[in-house]
Amino acid sequence: MRKLTALLICAPLLAGSAALAADPPAKGQSSGARANQTLSEDELSAKIAAKLVQLRAEQATRVHAAAKAKKAAAAAPREVVAPVVHGTKWSYEGEFGPANWARMNPDWAACSSGTRQSPIDIRDGIKLDLEPIVFDYHPSSFTVVDNGHTVEVALGTGNFITIMNRRYELQQFHFHRPSEERINGKSFDMSVHLVHKDGEGRQAVVALLLERGSAQSVIQTVWNNLPLEKNDVIRPTIMLDANDLLPLQREYFIYMGSMSTPPCSEGVLWMVMKQPVQAAPAQMALFSRLYPYNVRPTQPSSGRIIKESN
């Protein structure tokens, strides 16, 4: 290309030079005229050489600029855009695990961007004379379902807690192994989450920590009515009293957090009972056959206030 450009630019000049060479000087042409002709050819050669130098310089400048631009582009940080699946399938491990929840569905963005996520490692609670949680539970009808993530028990209407002048109705409770909550770094064998909702849609969760000990009657009732297939709903004819799940001592930790499963919605009031509830090793082993591990990792506390009742 460089040679072609030079030839195109210099073609007229070369043509003139060739014409002079093709036609010999007329008879009687003086030596001075022949000298002028030679001088013109020398000037033409000088002009061609100067043009070639100019073209080479311009080409070198373009090559240098292109190399500089390529180097700058390679050094610039690239924004990595995670694929959005818009799915609803999730799990506790692997491709669909907690680390990828936010990338699987835009409605689950809080799982990554939220600043009040649950569960947390409960540390440095501020000890205060907190009002007691008022439990207003009664024997109720119930259903049991294995939803693919845990065993969930839905209660009939009429079961409430009252805290901070708000009344929340019990919707369901479910199980985790091991506990999602940690107390000063300590994890427990299992936990039960009792999920409540008030008339305005705000949620409150009471977390019970389970440790190995004597058999737990409510848990045994649930196990006795486990469905044979996932997502099948069992509707026992007997009643269940959620009061029998609660520890005798009702001191608790309280903080603001989120649901610990997608979409990880924040604004959830969490109350973690300080006294663990006992369950038999055999009862825990049965759940382990279904879900040996179904917990979300602890999340940053991000300077949240954690209150602790005396």
Side-chain angles (χ1 to χ4, degrees), residues 220-308:
Q220 191 59 49
T221 298
V222 174
W223 286 183
N224 290 343
N225 291 278
L226 282 174
L228 297 175
E229 298 286 349
K230 293 187 186 300
N231 298 312
D232 283 352
V233 179
I234 301 298
R235 304 178 186 277
T237 58
I238 59 176
M239 306 288 274
L240 184 147
D241 191 346
N243 275 310
D244 295 335
L245 269 174
L246 303 175
L248 295 177
Q249 299 176 23
R250 304 291 171 86
E251 290 82 10
Y252 61 95
F253 300 94
I254 186 169
Y255 74 95
M256 293 303 297
S258 72
M259 298 308 293
S260 61
T261 58
C264 307
S265 307
E266 296 189 342
V268 178
L269 181 66
W270 278 85
M271 293 149 283
V272 180
M273 306 306 291
K274 295 173 68 174
Q275 183 185 26
V277 174
Q278 291 189 353
Q283 292 177 319
M284 295 184 179
L286 190 153
F287 185 78
S288 294
R289 292 179 62 180
L290 300 173
Y291 298 103
Y293 183 87
N294 66 331
V295 299
R296 184 189 190 192
T298 54
Q299 303 296 302
S301 59
S302 302
R304 273 175 277 188
I305 293 176
I306 302 171
K307 294 181 180 181
E308 175 184 354

Coordinates of all heavy atoms in Angstrom, one line a residue, residues 220-308:
Q220 N -42.1 -34.2 66.7 CA -42.5 -35.6 66.4 C -43.8 -35.7 65.7 O -44.0 -36.5 64.8 CB -42.5 -36.4 67.7 CG -42.7 -37.9 67.5 CD -41.5 -38.5 66.7 OE1 -40.4 -38.2 67.0 NE2 -41.9 -39.3 65.7
T221 N -44.7 -34.8 66.1 CA -46.0 -34.7 65.4 C -45.8 -34.4 64.0 O -46.5 -35.0 63.1 CB -46.9 -33.7 66.1 OG1 -47.2 -34.1 67.5 CG2 -48.3 -33.6 65.4
V222 N -45.0 -33.5 63.7 CA -44.7 -33.1 62.3 C -44.1 -34.3 61.5 O -44.5 -34.6 60.4 CB -43.8 -31.9 62.2 CG1 -43.4 -31.6 60.7 CG2 -44.5 -30.6 62.8
W223 N -43.1 -34.9 62.1 CA -42.4 -36.0 61.5 C -43.4 -37.2 61.2 O -43.3 -37.8 60.2 CB -41.3 -36.6 62.3 CG -40.0 -35.8 62.4 CD1 -38.9 -36.2 63.1 CD2 -39.7 -34.5 61.8 NE1 -37.9 -35.2 63.0 CE2 -38.3 -34.2 62.2 CE3 -40.3 -33.6 61.1 CZ2 -37.7 -33.0 61.8 CZ3 -39.7 -32.4 60.7 CH2 -38.4 -32.1 61.1
N224 N -44.3 -37.4 62.1 CA -45.3 -38.4 61.9 C -46.2 -38.2 60.7 O -46.8 -39.1 60.2 CB -46.2 -38.6 63.2 CG -45.4 -39.2 64.4 OD1 -44.4 -39.7 64.2 ND2 -46.0 -39.0 65.6
N225 N -46.3 -37.0 60.3 CA -47.1 -36.6 59.2 C -46.4 -36.1 57.9 O -46.9 -35.3 57.1 CB -48.1 -35.5 59.6 CG -49.1 -36.1 60.6 OD1 -50.1 -36.7 60.2 ND2 -48.9 -35.8 61.9
L226 N -45.1 -36.5 57.8 CA -44.3 -36.1 56.6 C -45.0 -36.7 55.4 O -45.4 -37.9 55.3 CB -42.9 -36.7 56.8 CG -41.9 -35.9 57.7 CD1 -40.6 -36.6 57.8 CD2 -41.7 -34.5 57.2
P227 N -45.0 -35.9 54.3 CA -45.5 -36.5 53.0 C -44.5 -37.4 52.4 O -43.3 -37.4 52.7 CB -45.7 -35.2 52.2 CG -44.8 -34.2 52.8 CD -44.7 -34.5 54.2
L228 N -45.0 -38.3 51.5 CA -44.2 -39.2 50.9 C -43.4 -38.6 49.7 O -42.4 -39.1 49.2 CB -45.0 -40.4 50.4 CG -45.6 -41.3 51.5 CD1 -46.5 -42.4 51.0 CD2 -44.5 -41.9 52.5
E229 N -44.0 -37.6 49.1 CA -43.4 -36.9 47.9 C -43.2 -35.4 48.2 O -44.0 -34.8 48.9 CB -44.3 -37.1 46.7 CG -44.5 -38.6 46.3 CD -43.2 -39.2 45.6 OE1 -42.3 -38.4 45.3 OE2 -43.2 -40.4 45.4
K230 N -42.2 -34.8 47.6 CA -42.0 -33.4 47.7 C -43.2 -32.6 47.1 O -43.8 -33.0 46.0 CB -40.7 -32.9 47.0 CG -39.5 -33.5 47.7 CD -38.2 -32.9 47.1 CE -37.0 -33.5 47.6 NZ -36.9 -33.3 49.1
N231 N -43.6 -31.5 47.7 CA -44.7 -30.7 47.3 C -46.1 -31.3 47.5 O -47.1 -30.6 47.2 CB -44.5 -30.2 45.9 CG -43.3 -29.4 45.7 OD1 -43.0 -28.4 46.5 ND2 -42.5 -29.7 44.7
D232 N -46.2 -32.5 48.0 CA -47.5 -33.0 48.4 C -47.8 -32.4 49.8 O -47.0 -32.2 50.6 CB -47.5 -34.5 48.6 CG -47.5 -35.3 47.2 OD1 -47.7 -34.6 46.2 OD2 -47.3 -36.5 47.2
V233 N -49.1 -32.1 50.0 CA -49.6 -31.4 51.2 C -50.4 -32.4 52.0 O -51.3 -33.0 51.5 CB -50.4 -30.2 50.9 CG1 -50.9 -29.5 52.2 CG2 -49.6 -29.2 50.1
I234 N -49.9 -32.6 53.3 CA -50.6 -33.5 54.2 C -51.5 -32.7 55.1 O -51.0 -31.7 55.7 CB -49.6 -34.4 55.0 CG1 -48.8 -35.2 54.1 CG2 -50.4 -35.2 56.0 CD1 -49.5 -36.2 53.2
R235 N -52.7 -33.0 55.3 CA -53.7 -32.3 56.2 C -54.1 -33.2 57.3 O -55.2 -33.9 57.2 CB -54.9 -31.8 55.4 CG -54.4 -30.9 54.2 CD -55.6 -30.4 53.4 NE -55.2 -29.8 52.2 CZ -54.9 -28.5 52.1 NH1 -54.9 -27.7 53.2 NH2 -54.5 -27.9 51.0
P236 N -53.4 -33.3 58.4 CA -53.8 -34.2 59.5 C -55.1 -33.8 60.1 O -55.6 -32.6 60.0 CB -52.7 -34.1 60.5 CG -51.5 -33.5 59.7 CD -52.1 -32.6 58.6
T237 N -55.8 -34.7 60.7 CA -57.1 -34.5 61.4 C -56.9 -34.0 62.8 O -57.8 -33.6 63.5 CB -57.9 -35.7 61.4 OG1 -57.2 -36.8 62.0 CG2 -58.3 -36.1 59.9
I238 N -55.6 -34.2 63.3 CA -55.3 -33.8 64.7 C -55.0 -32.3 64.8 O -54.8 -31.6 63.7 CB -54.2 -34.6 65.3 CG1 -52.9 -34.5 64.5 CG2 -54.6 -36.1 65.4 CD1 -51.7 -35.2 65.1
M239 N -54.8 -31.8 66.0 CA -54.5 -30.4 66.2 C -53.0 -30.3 66.6 O -52.4 -31.2 67.1 CB -55.3 -29.7 67.2 CG -56.8 -29.9 67.0 SD -57.4 -28.9 65.6 CE -57.7 -27.3 66.4
L240 N -52.4 -29.1 66.4 CA -51.0 -28.8 66.8 C -51.0 -27.5 67.6 O -51.6 -26.5 67.2 CB -50.1 -28.8 65.6 CG -48.6 -28.6 65.8 CD1 -47.9 -29.4 64.8 CD2 -48.2 -27.2 65.9
D241 N -50.3 -27.5 68.7 CA -50.1 -26.3 69.6 C -48.7 -25.8 69.5 O -47.8 -26.4 70.0 CB -50.5 -26.6 71.0 CG -50.7 -25.3 71.8 OD1 -50.2 -24.3 71.4 OD2 -51.3 -25.4 73.0
A242 N -48.5 -24.7 68.8 CA -47.2 -24.1 68.7 C -46.5 -23.7 70.0 O -45.3 -23.5 70.1 CB -47.2 -22.9 67.7
N243 N -47.4 -23.5 71.0 CA -46.8 -23.2 72.4 C -45.8 -24.2 72.8 O -44.9 -23.9 73.5 CB -48.0 -23.1 73.4 CG -48.6 -21.7 73.4 OD1 -47.9 -20.7 73.5 ND2 -49.9 -21.6 73.4
D244 N -46.1 -25.5 72.4 CA -45.2 -26.6 72.9 C -43.8 -26.6 72.3 O -43.0 -27.4 72.7 CB -45.9 -27.9 72.6 CG -47.2 -28.1 73.4 OD1 -47.4 -27.4 74.4 OD2 -48.1 -28.8 72.9
L245 N -43.6 -25.7 71.3 CA -42.3 -25.6 70.7 C -41.4 -24.6 71.5 O -40.2 -24.7 71.5 CB -42.4 -25.0 69.3 CG -42.5 -26.0 68.1 CD1 -42.7 -25.2 66.8 CD2 -41.2 -26.8 68.0
L246 N -42.0 -23.7 72.3 CA -41.3 -22.6 72.9 C -40.5 -23.0 74.1 O -40.9 -23.9 74.9 CB -42.3 -21.5 73.2 CG -43.1 -20.9 72.1 CD1 -44.1 -19.9 72.6 CD2 -42.3 -20.3 71.0
P247 N -39.3 -22.4 74.3 CA -38.6 -22.6 75.6 C -39.3 -22.1 76.8 O -40.1 -21.2 76.7 CB -37.3 -21.9 75.3 CG -37.6 -20.8 74.4 CD -38.7 -21.3 73.5
L248 N -38.9 -22.6 78.0 CA -39.6 -22.1 79.2 C -39.1 -20.6 79.4 O -40.0 -19.8 79.9 CB -39.2 -23.0 80.4 CG -39.7 -24.4 80.3 CD1 -39.2 -25.2 81.5 CD2 -41.2 -24.4 80.3
Q249 N -37.9 -20.3 79.2 CA -37.4 -19.0 79.4 C -37.5 -18.2 78.1 O -37.2 -18.7 77.0 CB -35.9 -19.0 79.9 CG -35.7 -19.7 81.2 CD -34.3 -19.8 81.6 OE1 -33.5 -18.9 81.2 NE2 -33.9 -20.7 82.5
R250 N -38.0 -17.0 78.2 CA -38.4 -16.2 77.0 C -37.5 -15.0 76.7 O -37.9 -14.1 76.0 CB -39.9 -15.8 77.1 CG -40.8 -16.9 77.3 CD -41.0 -17.9 76.2 NE -41.7 -19.1 76.5 CZ -43.1 -19.1 76.4 NH1 -43.8 -18.1 76.0 NH2 -43.7 -20.3 76.7
E251 N -36.3 -15.0 77.2 CA -35.3 -13.9 76.9 C -34.9 -14.1 75.4 O -34.9 -15.2 74.9 CB -34.1 -14.0 77.8 CG -34.3 -13.6 79.2 CD -34.8 -14.7 80.0 OE1 -34.8 -15.9 79.5 OE2 -35.3 -14.5 81.2
Y252 N -34.6 -13.0 74.8 CA -34.4 -13.0 73.3 C -33.4 -11.9 72.9 O -33.2 -10.9 73.6 CB -35.7 -12.9 72.6 CG -36.4 -11.5 72.9 CD1 -36.3 -10.4 72.0 CD2 -37.3 -11.4 74.0 CE1 -37.0 -9.3 72.3 CE2 -37.9 -10.2 74.2 CZ -37.8 -9.1 73.4 OH -38.4 -8.0 73.6
F253 N -32.9 -12.1 71.7 CA -32.2 -11.0 71.0 C -33.1 -10.5 69.9 O -34.0 -11.2 69.4 CB -30.9 -11.6 70.2 CG -29.9 -12.2 71.1 CD1 -29.9 -13.6 71.3 CD2 -28.9 -11.5 71.7 CE1 -28.9 -14.2 72.1 CE2 -27.9 -12.0 72.5 CZ -27.9 -13.4 72.7
I254 N -33.0 -9.2 69.6 CA -33.9 -8.6 68.6 C -33.1 -7.7 67.6 O -32.2 -6.9 68.1 CB -35.1 -7.9 69.2 CG1 -36.1 -7.4 68.2 CG2 -34.6 -6.7 70.1 CD1 -37.4 -6.9 68.8
Y255 N -33.3 -7.8 66.4 CA -32.6 -7.0 65.4 C -33.5 -6.9 64.1 O -34.4 -7.7 63.9 CB -31.2 -7.5 65.1 CG -31.2 -8.7 64.2 CD1 -31.0 -8.6 62.9 CD2 -31.3 -10.0 64.8 CE1 -30.9 -9.8 62.1 CE2 -31.2 -11.1 64.0 CZ -31.0 -11.0 62.7 OH -30.9 -12.1 61.9
M256 N -33.1 -6.0 63.2 CA -33.8 -5.9 61.9 C -33.0 -6.6 60.9 O -31.7 -6.5 60.8 CB -34.0 -4.4 61.5 CG -35.0 -3.6 62.4 SD -36.6 -4.4 62.4 CE -37.1 -4.3 60.7
G257 N -33.7 -7.4 60.1 CA -33.0 -8.2 59.0 C -33.8 -8.4 57.8 O -34.6 -7.5 57.4
S258 N -33.7 -9.6 57.2 CA -34.4 -9.9 56.0 C -34.9 -11.4 56.1 O -34.5 -12.1 57.0 CB -33.4 -9.8 54.8 OG -32.5 -10.9 54.8
M259 N -35.6 -11.8 55.1 CA -35.9 -13.2 54.9 C -34.6 -13.8 54.5 O -33.8 -13.3 53.7 CB -37.0 -13.4 53.9 CG -38.3 -12.8 54.3 SD -38.9 -13.3 55.9 CE -39.2 -15.1 55.7
S260 N -34.3 -15.1 54.9 CA -33.0 -15.7 54.6 C -33.1 -16.6 53.4 O -32.2 -17.4 53.1 CB -32.5 -16.5 55.8 OG -33.5 -17.5 56.1
T261 N -34.2 -16.5 52.6 CA -34.3 -17.1 51.3 C -34.8 -16.1 50.3 O -35.3 -15.0 50.6 CB -35.4 -18.3 51.4 OG1 -36.6 -17.7 51.8 CG2 -35.0 -19.3 52.4
P262 N -34.5 -16.4 49.0 CA -35.0 -15.4 48.0 C -36.5 -15.1 48.1 O -37.3 -16.0 48.4 CB -34.7 -16.2 46.6 CG -33.6 -17.2 47.0 CD -33.9 -17.6 48.4
P263 N -36.8 -13.8 47.9 CA -36.0 -12.7 47.4 C -35.2 -11.9 48.4 O -34.8 -10.8 48.1 CB -37.1 -11.8 46.7 CG -38.3 -12.0 47.6 CD -38.3 -13.5 48.0
C264 N -35.1 -12.4 49.6 CA -34.2 -11.8 50.6 C -34.8 -10.4 51.0 O -34.0 -9.5 51.3 CB -32.8 -11.7 50.2 SG -32.0 -13.2 49.6
S265 N -36.1 -10.3 51.1 CA -36.7 -9.0 51.4 C -36.3 -8.5 52.8 O -36.3 -9.3 53.7 CB -38.3 -9.2 51.3 OG -38.7 -9.7 50.1
E266 N -36.0 -7.2 52.9 CA -35.6 -6.6 54.1 C -36.8 -6.1 54.9 O -37.9 -6.2 54.4 CB -34.5 -5.6 53.9 CG -33.2 -6.2 53.3 CD -32.0 -5.3 53.2 OE1 -32.2 -4.1 53.3 OE2 -30.9 -5.8 53.1
G267 N -36.5 -5.4 56.0 CA -37.5 -4.9 56.9 C -38.2 -5.9 57.7 O -39.4 -5.8 58.2
V268 N -37.5 -7.1 58.0 CA -38.1 -8.2 58.8 C -37.6 -8.0 60.2 O -36.4 -7.9 60.5 CB -37.7 -9.5 58.2 CG1 -38.2 -10.7 59.1 CG2 -38.2 -9.7 56.8
L269 N -38.5 -8.1 61.2 CA -38.1 -8.1 62.6 C -37.7 -9.5 63.1 O -38.6 -10.4 62.9 CB -39.3 -7.5 63.4 CG -39.1 -7.4 64.9 CD1 -38.0 -6.3 65.2 CD2 -40.4 -7.1 65.6
W270 N -36.5 -9.6 63.6 CA -36.0 -10.9 64.0 C -35.9 -11.0 65.5 O -35.4 -10.1 66.1 CB -34.7 -11.2 63.4 CG -34.8 -11.8 62.0 CD1 -34.9 -11.1 60.8 CD2 -34.8 -13.2 61.6 NE1 -34.9 -11.9 59.8 CE2 -34.9 -13.2 60.2 CE3 -34.7 -14.4 62.4 CZ2 -34.9 -14.4 59.5 CZ3 -34.7 -15.6 61.7 CH2 -34.8 -15.6 60.3
M271 N -36.5 -12.0 66.1 CA -36.3 -12.3 67.5 C -35.7 -13.7 67.7 O -36.4 -14.7 67.3 CB -37.7 -12.2 68.3 CG -38.2 -10.8 68.3 SD -40.0 -10.7 68.3 CE -40.3 -11.1 66.5
V272 N -34.6 -13.8 68.3 CA -33.9 -15.1 68.4 C -33.9 -15.5 69.9 O -33.4 -14.7 70.8 CB -32.4 -15.1 67.9 CG1 -31.7 -16.4 68.1 CG2 -32.4 -14.6 66.5
M273 N -34.6 -16.5 70.3 CA -34.7 -16.9 71.7 C -33.4 -17.4 72.2 O -32.7 -18.2 71.5 CB -35.8 -18.0 71.8 CG -37.1 -17.7 71.2 SD -37.9 -16.1 71.8 CE -38.2 -16.6 73.5
K274 N -33.0 -16.9 73.4 CA -31.7 -17.2 73.9 C -31.6 -18.7 74.5 O -30.5 -19.3 74.4 CB -31.4 -16.2 75.1 CG -31.2 -14.8 74.6 CD -31.1 -13.8 75.7 CE -29.8 -13.9 76.4 NZ -29.6 -12.9 77.4
Q275 N -32.7 -19.2 75.1 CA -32.6 -20.6 75.6 C -32.9 -21.6 74.5 O -34.0 -21.5 73.8 CB -33.6 -20.7 76.7 CG -33.6 -22.1 77.3 CD -34.6 -22.4 78.4 OE1 -35.7 -21.8 78.3 NE2 -34.4 -23.3 79.3
P276 N -32.0 -22.5 74.2 CA -32.2 -23.5 73.2 C -33.4 -24.5 73.6 O -33.7 -24.6 74.8 CB -30.9 -24.3 73.1 CG -29.9 -23.4 73.7 CD -30.6 -22.6 74.8
V277 N -34.0 -25.1 72.6 CA -35.0 -26.1 72.7 C -34.4 -27.4 72.4 O -33.6 -27.6 71.5 CB -36.2 -25.8 71.8 CG1 -37.2 -27.0 71.8 CG2 -36.8 -24.5 72.1
Q278 N -34.7 -28.4 73.2 CA -34.1 -29.8 73.0 C -34.9 -30.6 72.0 O -36.2 -30.4 71.9 CB -34.0 -30.5 74.3 CG -33.0 -30.0 75.3 CD -32.8 -30.9 76.5 OE1 -33.5 -31.9 76.7 NE2 -31.8 -30.5 77.3
A279 N -34.2 -31.4 71.3 CA -34.8 -32.4 70.4 C -33.9 -33.6 70.4 O -32.7 -33.5 70.6 CB -34.9 -31.8 68.9
A280 N -34.6 -34.8 70.2 CA -33.8 -36.0 70.3 C -32.9 -36.2 69.1 O -33.2 -35.7 68.0 CB -34.8 -37.2 70.3
P281 N -31.7 -36.8 69.3 CA -30.8 -37.1 68.1 C -31.5 -37.8 67.0 O -31.2 -37.5 65.8 CB -29.7 -37.9 68.8 CG -29.7 -37.5 70.2 CD -31.1 -37.2 70.6
A282 N -32.4 -38.7 67.3 CA -33.1 -39.5 66.3 C -34.0 -38.5 65.4 O -34.2 -38.7 64.2 CB -33.9 -40.6 66.9
Q283 N -34.6 -37.5 66.1 CA -35.5 -36.6 65.4 C -34.6 -35.7 64.4 O -35.0 -35.4 63.3 CB -36.2 -35.7 66.4 CG -37.2 -36.5 67.2 CD -37.9 -35.6 68.3 OE1 -37.3 -34.8 68.9 NE2 -39.2 -35.7 68.4
M284 N -33.4 -35.3 64.9 CA -32.6 -34.6 64.0 C -32.0 -35.4 62.9 O -31.9 -34.9 61.8 CB -31.4 -34.0 64.9 CG -31.8 -33.0 65.9 SD -30.4 -32.3 66.8 CE -31.2 -31.2 67.9
A285 N -31.7 -36.7 63.2 CA -31.2 -37.5 62.1 C -32.2 -37.7 61.0 O -31.9 -37.8 59.8 CB -30.8 -38.9 62.7
L286 N -33.5 -37.8 61.4 CA -34.6 -38.0 60.4 C -34.6 -36.8 59.4 O -34.6 -36.9 58.2 CB -35.9 -38.1 61.0 CG -37.1 -38.6 60.1 CD1 -38.2 -39.3 60.9 CD2 -37.7 -37.4 59.4
F287 N -34.5 -35.6 60.0 CA -34.5 -34.4 59.1 C -33.2 -34.4 58.2 O -33.2 -34.0 57.1 CB -34.5 -33.1 59.9 CG -34.6 -31.9 59.1 CD1 -35.9 -31.5 58.5 CD2 -33.5 -31.1 58.9 CE1 -36.0 -30.3 57.7 CE2 -33.6 -29.9 58.1 CZ -34.8 -29.6 57.5
S288 N -32.1 -34.9 58.8 CA -30.8 -34.9 58.1 C -30.9 -35.8 56.8 O -30.2 -35.5 55.8 CB -29.7 -35.3 58.9 OG -29.4 -34.4 60.0
R289 N -31.7 -36.8 56.9 CA -31.9 -37.7 55.7 C -32.5 -36.9 54.6 O -32.3 -37.2 53.4 CB -32.7 -38.9 56.1 CG -32.1 -39.8 57.0 CD -32.9 -41.0 57.4 NE -33.3 -41.8 56.2 CZ -34.0 -42.9 56.3 NH1 -34.5 -43.3 57.4 NH2 -34.3 -43.6 55.1
L290 N -33.4 -35.9 54.9 CA -34.0 -35.1 53.9 C -33.1 -33.9 53.5 O -32.9 -33.6 52.3 CB -35.4 -34.6 54.4 CG -36.4 -35.6 54.8 CD1 -37.6 -34.9 55.4 CD2 -36.8 -36.4 53.6
Y291 N -32.6 -33.2 54.5 CA -31.8 -32.0 54.3 C -30.7 -32.0 55.2 O -30.7 -31.4 56.3 CB -32.7 -30.7 54.5 CG -33.9 -30.7 53.5 CD1 -35.2 -31.0 53.9 CD2 -33.6 -30.3 52.1 CE1 -36.2 -31.0 53.0 CE2 -34.7 -30.3 51.2 CZ -35.9 -30.7 51.7 OH -37.0 -30.6 50.7
P292 N -29.5 -32.5 54.8 CA -28.3 -32.5 55.7 C -27.8 -31.1 55.9 O -27.0 -30.9 56.8 CB -27.4 -33.4 55.0 CG -27.8 -33.4 53.6 CD -29.3 -33.3 53.6
Y293 N -28.1 -30.2 54.9 CA -27.5 -28.8 55.0 C -28.4 -27.9 54.2 O -28.5 -28.0 53.0 CB -26.1 -28.8 54.4 CG -25.4 -27.4 54.5 CD1 -24.7 -27.1 55.7 CD2 -25.6 -26.5 53.5 CE1 -24.1 -25.8 55.8 CE2 -25.0 -25.3 53.6 CZ -24.2 -24.9 54.7 OH -23.6 -23.7 54.8
N294 N -29.2 -27.0 54.9 CA -30.0 -26.1 54.3 C -30.0 -24.7 55.0 O -31.0 -24.3 55.5 CB -31.5 -26.6 54.1 CG -32.2 -26.8 55.5 OD1 -31.6 -27.0 56.5 ND2 -33.5 -26.7 55.5
V295 N -28.8 -24.1 54.9 CA -28.7 -22.8 55.6 C -28.0 -21.8 54.6 O -27.2 -22.2 53.8 CB -27.8 -22.9 56.9 CG1 -28.5 -23.8 57.9 CG2 -26.4 -23.4 56.6
R296 N -28.4 -20.6 54.8 CA -27.7 -19.5 54.1 C -26.5 -19.1 55.0 O -26.7 -19.0 56.2 CB -28.6 -18.3 53.9 CG -28.0 -17.2 53.1 CD -28.9 -15.9 53.1 NE -28.4 -14.9 52.1 CZ -28.8 -13.7 52.1 NH1 -29.8 -13.3 52.9 NH2 -28.4 -12.8 51.2
P297 N -25.4 -18.8 54.4 CA -24.2 -18.3 55.3 C -24.6 -17.0 56.0 O -25.5 -16.2 55.6 CB -23.1 -18.0 54.2 CG -23.5 -18.9 53.1 CD -25.0 -18.9 53.0
T298 N -23.9 -16.8 57.1 CA -24.2 -15.6 57.9 C -23.8 -14.3 57.0 O -22.8 -14.4 56.3 CB -23.4 -15.5 59.2 OG1 -22.0 -15.8 59.0 CG2 -23.9 -16.6 60.2
Q299 N -24.5 -13.3 57.3 CA -24.3 -12.0 56.5 C -23.7 -10.9 57.4 O -23.7 -11.0 58.6 CB -25.7 -11.5 56.0 CG -26.4 -12.6 55.1 CD -25.7 -12.9 53.9 OE1 -25.4 -12.1 53.0 NE2 -25.4 -14.2 53.7
P300 N -23.1 -9.9 56.7 CA -22.5 -8.8 57.5 C -23.5 -8.1 58.4 O -24.6 -7.9 58.0 CB -21.9 -7.9 56.5 CG -21.8 -8.7 55.2 CD -22.9 -9.7 55.3
S301 N -23.2 -7.8 59.6 CA -24.1 -7.1 60.5 C -24.2 -5.7 60.1 O -25.2 -5.0 60.4 CB -23.6 -7.2 62.0 OG -22.3 -6.7 62.1
S302 N -23.2 -5.1 59.5 CA -23.3 -3.7 58.9 C -23.7 -2.7 60.0 O -24.5 -1.8 59.7 CB -24.2 -3.7 57.7 OG -23.8 -4.6 56.7
G303 N -23.2 -2.9 61.2 CA -23.4 -1.9 62.2 C -24.8 -1.8 62.8 O -25.2 -0.9 63.4
R304 N -25.6 -2.9 62.6 CA -26.9 -2.9 63.1 C -26.9 -3.0 64.6 O -26.1 -3.6 65.3 CB -27.7 -4.2 62.6 CG -28.3 -4.0 61.2 CD -28.9 -5.2 60.7 NE -27.9 -6.1 60.0 CZ -28.2 -7.2 59.4 NH1 -29.5 -7.6 59.3 NH2 -27.2 -7.9 58.8
I305 N -28.0 -2.4 65.2 CA -28.2 -2.4 66.6 C -28.8 -3.8 66.9 O -29.8 -4.2 66.3 CB -29.1 -1.3 67.1 CG1 -28.4 0.1 66.9 CG2 -29.5 -1.5 68.5 CD1 -29.2 1.2 67.3
I306 N -28.2 -4.5 67.9 CA -28.8 -5.8 68.4 C -29.1 -5.6 69.8 O -28.2 -5.3 70.6 CB -27.8 -6.9 68.2 CG1 -27.4 -7.1 66.7 CG2 -28.4 -8.2 68.7 CD1 -26.3 -8.0 66.4
K307 N -30.3 -5.8 70.2 CA -30.7 -5.7 71.6 C -30.9 -7.0 72.2 O -31.2 -8.0 71.5 CB -32.1 -4.9 71.7 CG -32.0 -3.4 71.3 CD -33.3 -2.8 71.5 CE -33.3 -1.3 71.1 NZ -34.6 -0.6 71.3
E308 N -30.6 -7.1 73.5 CA -30.6 -8.4 74.2 C -31.4 -8.2 75.5 O -31.0 -7.3 76.3 CB -29.2 -8.9 74.5 CG -29.1 -10.1 75.3 CD -27.6 -10.5 75.5 OE1 -26.7 -9.9 75.0 OE2 -27.4 -11.5 76.3

